[in-house]
Amino acid sequence: MSKRQYKLPDNFYIGAAASAWQTEGWDGKEEGQDSYMDLWYKSTPELWHNGYGPTVATDFYNRYKEDVQLMKKSGLHSYRTSIDWSRFIINYETAEVSEVAAEYYDNLIDELIANGIEPMLCLEHYELPAELFTKYGGWGSKHVVDLYTKYVEEAFKRYSHKVKQWYTFNEPIVVQTRVFLDSIRYPFKQDTQTAMQWNYNKILATAKAVKVYKEGGYNKDGGKIGVILNPDVCYPRSTAKHDVEAAEKFDLFFNRIFLDPSIKGEIPAELFEILKEHNCCFEYTEEELEIIKDNTIDILGVNLYAPTRVKAKNLAWNPNTPFHPEYFYDKHELQGRKMNPFRGWEIYPKLMYDFAMRVKNEYGNIEWFIAENGMGVENEHKYKNEEGIIQDDYRIEFISDHLRWLIKGIEEGSNCTGYMLWAFTDNVSPQNAFKNRYGLVEINLEDNRNRKMKKSGYWYKELSEKRTFEFDDFNFEYK
Ligand code: BGP
């Protein structure tokens, strides 16, 4: 197959992402400083792959200096992680900061900057304090929204002079969808209204954080604030009206629900209508809707992994089933699709381009970037060469294929400024723990969690320096 050379656009950065709870481990945390993720793990450790969880994670808390050197070696321009709210704050009601934690984050930020890597910080990557989950029901409570607002201000006060990119949440839709809508995660309770309240309260929390950031003048010297979403780029099975409508409903419940208020300041009217019709609308006030309207984001982070395909519903809805957006659609599997069998996700790199065009055409071409994309693979040690370096050509191919489609979108005018791989090192996934490995750098669990760059790490470095890469010409219209 013929190859072609692709070039990274000018000023386009490449980086890698992770989060606090998936890397840090519990060292340095005090009694009572568990996050929701810690609580979930402690409640059902038997459900986590081989029993691993956030306890030690990659021990980043103790080994971040070593990791920053590896970031440099793999050519990262930027690194995204989160501040763990449950660690950073010692008294969640008063937002009193833990000085031990604050010092750790301060040192980490300095270490990144000193090594020429831009820090990008997310303020919640599922690290809601467990205490607020058990006491108030977590994000279902407006009081928790207020406590979050106090917490984020403390983070801005400490670090906004050094950190110029802030994100209110990572994938704010995920926890409540898995927990209260699908009921597949701890505490296995089904409650659609609660799921919708969490969605709404996180929309409100984003707007309130934006307000605090701007009114406090924390954005001076070019600081920006946004949110990191995981839109499910959704394709209908066919052009038939009922299939297209099914896809539109999916889009409303899983994409527009956060995209519209964050960027346009408005929750879609159709969402209110459907939720009211099914008696599961969230509680809101007009005053809150005004706050949402007036405080939209500067920049959008997007986690894109796999497409979703839907078709019109075949079976009648069981009238006793609590309302779920699946009332409107069934999932559809495209025959002949390419798969990542380990994660069970379809591989469809063109979703990068399709989403890029959507931001350009439907969302005012706001500045955005890929905040996560990557490939989790099981048993990667099978691919080690004689020097023990994992030959992850499949990952290099995955990144290249996605990047070329993203670049095409940028060349056609989409305002995308960067690409971050999930993840920098292998790390802990919710429940899957270390099963599927995502990193440019291997974490060897059998050998004291020692780090070793994979082939993709060396390739990333080359990409970062040369700003070009080679890939197939196949299946790609490129001008
Ligand atoms: C994203 C999350 C990450 C990370 C990643 C990989 O949805 O933001 O935290 O976990 O997915 O997926 P998984 O861990 O489920 O394999």
Side-chain angles (χ1 to χ4, degrees), residues 464-479:
S464 148
E465 283 175 356
K466 290 198 190 146
R467 303 188 65 84
T468 58
F469 60 99
E470 273 211 337
F471 196 69
D472 301 343
D473 229 350
F474 172 66
N475 197 13
F476 194 69
E477 309 125 36
Y478 194 84
K479 289 182 201 101

Side-chain angles (χ1 to χ4, degrees), residues 120-132:
M120 295 163 67
L121 288 184
C122 189
L123 292 154
E124 206 263 25
H125 193 128
Y126 322 148
E127 296 112 345
L128 166 79
E131 186 184 306
L132 303 184

Side-chain angles (χ1 to χ4, degrees), residues 18-19 21-22 80 125-126 170-171 174 178 185 228 230 303 305 343 345 371-372 374 376 422-423 427-433 436 438:
S19 74
W21 82 267
Q22 290 170 284
R80 161 165 83 93
H125 193 128
Y126 322 148
N170 175 78
E171 303 194 351
V174 164
R178 308 270 186 277
R185 286 183 179 175
I228 293 172
N230 54 315
N303 296 348
Y305 286 89
R343 189 63 183 81
W345 282 343
E372 282 180 31
W422 186 269
N427 65 33
V428 180
S429 288
Q431 256 174 233
N432 275 338
N436 299 318
Y438 283 89

Side-chain angles (χ1 to χ4, degrees), residues 381-395:
H381 53 86
K382 282 197 313 217
Y383 304 105
K384 284 191 176 180
N385 66 7
E386 320 71 70
E387 291 128 65
I389 298 174
I390 292 173
Q391 303 296 296
D392 52 347
D393 295 273
Y394 44 82
R395 180 166 291 108

Side-chain angles (χ1 to χ4, degrees), residues 60 170 325 358 403 452:
F60 186 78
N170 175 78
R358 186 165 189 201
L403 263 180
K452 198 171 180 92

